[in-house]
Amino acid sequence: MVYLNFTDSSEVTQNRLLEDSKKDVERKFGDDIRKYVRKNYTCFETMIEEEAMRNLYSYTFVFKI
């Protein structure tokens, strides 16, 4: 679960969540993504970014109001 203050939806917070998601994706699927990148000649950073955006939808957010 990700705990957020309801009034804290600033760009800084959004970037922090995206960076956390990137780390999570790389930890979970980094080896598989690297294999895919080598096989298909794509950019690793782009793949991580796209998967991190998808990964955000799997988080459970708890808002403090």
Side-chain angles (χ1 to χ4, degrees):
M1 279 190 238
V2 179
Y3 292 90
L4 294 174
N5 184 334
F6 186 73
T7 59
D8 188 18
S9 61
S10 66
E11 187 175 343
V12 173
T13 302
Q14 292 176 24
N15 288 335
R16 180 180 53 85
L17 288 171
L18 184 58
E19 289 302 317
D20 289 347
S21 182
K22 283 181 187 179
K23 290 175 188 172
D24 193 28
V25 166
E26 191 165 352
R27 183 179 51 80
K28 288 180 183 176
F29 309 111
D31 293 337
D32 293 333
I33 292 173
R34 282 184 188 86
K35 288 177 189 173
Y36 179 84
V37 165
R38 275 188 236 116
K39 183 177 178 182
N40 295 294
Y41 306 103
T42 60
C43 177
F44 179 74
E45 289 302 319
T46 303
M47 294 296 298
I48 289 290
E49 179 110 8
E50 290 172 0
E51 291 301 320
M53 293 292 257
R54 285 188 203 108
N55 188 49
L56 283 173
Y57 291 104
S58 70
Y59 287 173
T60 302
F61 293 97
V62 176
F63 292 95
K64 294 180 184 178
I65 299 177

